[in-house]
Structure formats: structure tokens, C-alpha cells
Amino acid sequence: MQITLKHTTAGLAIVASLLFFGCNAHKSDKKSTTTKAKVQQVATPVFNADSAYQYINNQVDFGPRVPNTKEHTACAQYLANELKRFGADVIVQEADVIAFDNSVLKAKNIIGQYNTNLKKRVLLCAHWDTRPFADHDRDPSKRDLAIDGANDGASGVGVLLEIARQINITQPNVGIDIIFFDAEDHGQPDHRNLPAIENDWCLGSQYWGKNPHVENYRASYGILLDMVGAPNASFYFEGYSMSFNPGLVNYIWDIASEIGYDYHFKKERGHTITDDHVYVTQLRNFPCIDIIQQVMEDRFDKNGDYINHSFGSYWHTHNDNMSNIDKGTLKAVGQTVLEVIYREN
Ligand SMILES: [Zn+2]
């Protein structure tokens, strides 16, 4: 993902319409809770951070999951099998997408559907591919090597696999679609000084947005998880998410606070980040918000050099490995998302 300082014009038009629609959509959901009192409230399951941690470790054990590699193919199989094991109807959407260097990536969006008979749906998503470069690593000789992506990629997927396991045990009163998007992190490398291009990130979600797995697919809202496992992570109000549906962002952050996780969920404005949620929202026309770690303070690395991005210092370096994963952070995010979906009626 990439920090974005400006919106596109087309994006702004859609943003304006969603701001209105999205807020009302969420409010009307709440209203229907009171009128349809007969729906049995389902108790929220307890999120198991040990399981999520293991699902992250299993992904990292494959090696970097870069499209067109055998590690990527093997991990795709693993993820589809896990979703099937947890009772989902699984679709693996295969797509040839074009990367920044005009190479063709054999991408796979892995989709798990629950309660397909229910019209009201919530989309939960994360990217599962890993960055083919370590363009922000301190060691220039290692910048062309793919990263483990324990947090950047595997953490969101690990949390969603644990949520899938819980859904299989206790169904919520809403249809859930889990999508692991591919080729999110294949954007142009920062260390090669190439000319700027547009839309080179989030290739899997761009493909799915134009070719959804269900015709005219629409959810009430979506939640994207990205970099949700680092120790002491802070999740701020991300800029696009706030422009898509500030009511939804506040609603989720309020739930996090209510169940004791305001240490991680900060009710303060963060940066605006191009990530899969932008394409989901713009192409499918429902609001998808991003839970993503950001660092808002100025920082310097061990050499005293200024860190010129707002992500953890491990971001797009070889330090994004299993030592960068903390069960407390996984628990905060996983329990919050479970709480959100089990409150739906
Ligand atoms: Zn990344």
C-alpha cells in the first residue's frame, strides 16, 4: 500500500455519494435491529490469538508469497483448504493481471462465503501476497529480495482465518464473505527511481472489483485488515475510510473501545492510504474501511536517518518476520471484528 496525498477526481465523486449512502446504510441496519426483535442475538465468540498466530506462521513457512512462484501456488492451496475446512463455500478466482513492469502475474483471489442465502452481507478482506522487494531495507544489497511479510500480508489473513474458524462453530446473523486479495503489494519499487505510474498497487482487488465472484456483488460494508499484528500497533482513522463512511469508522472504533482495546484503536485522524479498500469501495459502490497500522510521530532509524513513511519501521524490509507479530495486537483486532459482525441482525 501507498500513502496518497491527493484523491483522483473520479474517486471524489464516488466518495461524495458513499458518504451519504454509507452513513444511512449503517443507521438503517441498526434501526432494523429494533424492529426485527425476533432475531436471536448470537453471543460473540472468543477470538483465539494463538490460532491466528499459527495461521500467520504457516503462511510465512511457505516463504515469500510472490505471484508466479511455487511458494505462492502452495500457499494459495493452503488458504483455500483452510477456508473449506472452516465450512466456507470457496471460490478461487484466477486472474492474469499486469504489473508495473508489464509482466503478467498469475493472481488468485481466494474467496470464502458463509450463509450465501442471506441477502445482507459483510465483506472481510486482507491481502495474502508478499512484496517482491525490500525497497525500504537499510541494506541496499537486500532490496531486491522478497520479504517474509509476516505482518504485511499474513497478519490480516491469519486473523480472518481464525474468524472463519469461529464462524464455522457459531454462525452470525449476517452473510459473511472473506476475500484474500492477491497482488496488492506488487507496486513499483521505491529504490529504482522509476517514473510515477497510477494503479500499480492492489491488482487483485482491482480485478475483483471489475469481476466480482457474484454478479452485481454488494455488501452492506467491508472491513479490510492490513498490518494488524505488530507489537503496540496503533490504528488511526484512515483518510479514505473517513471519506467513504465516517459513521462506520466511528462505530467500529467505539466497539473496540467498549471491549477494552482503545490502546490500539486511536480515535484520531491518520494518513490517507491507497489500499484494497479504495478499489472495493469505488468499483463495487459500498463503503469498505481499512484497519491498518500507522505511526504518526516523526521517527529516525538506528543510523539517525528520518523514516519517510507512516508505517512501522519494519515496513517493506526484511524485519517484517515472525518476530514482528504480537498476539495482543491480533487479539484486539480479531475480537473487535468478531464483535462487529456478531452484533449484526
Ligand atoms: Zn506492503
Side-chain angles (χ1 to χ4, degrees):
M1 67 301 312
Q2 197 182 32
I3 298 181
T4 308
L5 299 175
K6 61 179 169 53
H7 301 273
T8 61
T9 322
L12 273 179
I14 297 168
V15 164
S17 67
L18 281 166
L19 189 63
F20 181 74
F21 169 78
C23 286
N24 283 327
H26 206 77
K27 276 186 191 139
S28 68
D29 291 346
K30 280 171 109 182
K31 210 194 277 170
S32 67
T33 311
T34 48
T35 49
K36 287 195 290 177
K38 279 184 189 142
V39 176
Q40 191 114 46
Q41 188 70 45
V42 183
T44 305
V46 176
F47 183 88
N48 187 323
D50 292 329
S51 295
Y53 184 93
Q54 191 56 49
Y55 303 140
I56 297 165
N57 204 14
N58 291 348
Q59 293 171 76
V60 171
D61 277 349
F62 284 101
R65 284 78 67 206
V66 175
N68 301 351
T69 65
K70 64 178 192 314
E71 294 80 6
H72 179 266
T73 306
C75 187
Q77 193 65 55
Y78 162 74
L79 296 175
N81 286 347
E82 289 294 78
L83 286 173
K84 279 180 203 156
R85 182 160 79 94
F86 301 142
D89 290 339
V90 176
I91 296 172
V92 177
Q93 180 182 57
E94 308 213 352
D96 286 354
V97 296
I98 311 293
F100 69 92
D101 57 358
N102 285 322
S103 62
V104 177
L105 305 179
K106 297 281 182 190
K108 296 175 202 289
N109 292 324
I110 300 162
I111 302 160
Q113 308 166 91
Y114 289 94
N115 280 338
T116 49
N117 56 319
L118 294 182
K119 230 183 142 201
K120 185 178 175 193
R121 313 203 61 76
V122 173
L123 171 68
L124 306 177
C125 49
H127 79 88
W128 73 274
D129 62 304
T130 44
R131 185 134 178 87
F133 321 105
D135 39 348
H136 287 263
D137 203 279
R138 282 171 59 202
D139 182 348
S141 71
K142 291 183 178 160
R143 287 184 188 151
D144 283 314
L145 300 175
I147 62 169
D148 278 356
N151 198 34
D152 194 357
S155 67
V157 171
V159 167
L160 293 183
L161 281 175
E162 167 59 6
I163 287 175
R165 189 178 76 86
Q166 296 293 349
I167 292 172
N168 193 34
I169 298 167
T170 313
Q171 296 271 317
N173 288 322
V174 66
I176 301 288
D177 300 293
I178 292 176
I179 306 187
F180 302 144
F181 288 121
D182 202 354
E184 187 275 343
D185 233 347
H186 218 95
Q188 190 157 263
D190 285 340
H191 65 302
R192 291 188 196 162
N193 294 321
L194 300 167
I197 51 173
E198 295 221 316
N199 300 318
D200 53 329
W201 301 80
C202 309
L203 303 177
S205 58
Q206 291 190 57
Y207 182 90
W208 174 84
K210 292 168 194 157
N211 308 277
H213 64 288
V214 169
E215 200 181 352
N216 299 320
Y217 178 85
R218 199 179 169 113
S220 295
Y221 59 89
I223 302 174
L224 172 64
L225 306 182
D226 197 353
M227 299 194 279
V228 291
N232 304 311
S234 294
F235 306 109
Y236 293 91
F237 293 162
E238 182 275 326
Y240 278 119
S241 305
M242 290 302 276
S243 64
F244 296 154
N245 193 325
L248 177 61
V249 177
N250 274 288
Y251 175 73
I252 293 168
W253 262 246
D254 281 349
I255 286 179
S257 170
E258 185 190 321
I259 63 174
Y261 299 119
D262 46 8
Y263 171 72
H264 293 285
F265 285 79
K266 311 275 194 213
K267 293 179 184 170
E268 294 163 40
R269 185 65 182 247
H271 289 293
T272 298
I273 297 162
T274 299
D275 204 346
D276 290 319
H277 67 312
V278 174
Y279 296 98
V280 168
T281 302
Q282 294 184 348
L283 294 167
R284 299 304 332 143
N285 204 31
F286 64 84
C288 183
I289 65 103
D290 197 3
I291 300 177
I292 182 167
Q293 184 193 5
Q294 294 192 56
V295 180
M296 299 308 291
E297 311 85 69
D298 281 344
R299 295 158 300 160
F300 298 86
D301 68 15
K302 286 174 193 152
N303 292 346
D305 291 330
Y306 183 70
I307 298 178
N308 66 348
H309 60 75
S310 71
F311 303 117
S313 58
Y314 60 85
W315 181 68
H316 293 179
T317 76
H318 294 293
N319 292 330
D320 188 4
N321 52 35
M322 284 308 289
S323 68
N324 189 34
I325 299 298
D326 178 81
K327 289 178 186 172
T329 307
L330 299 174
K331 172 74 176 172
V333 174
Q335 195 64 57
T336 297
V337 175
L338 277 177
E339 193 67 37
V340 170
I341 63 177
Y342 281 81
R343 284 187 191 194
E344 293 293 343
N345 276 295

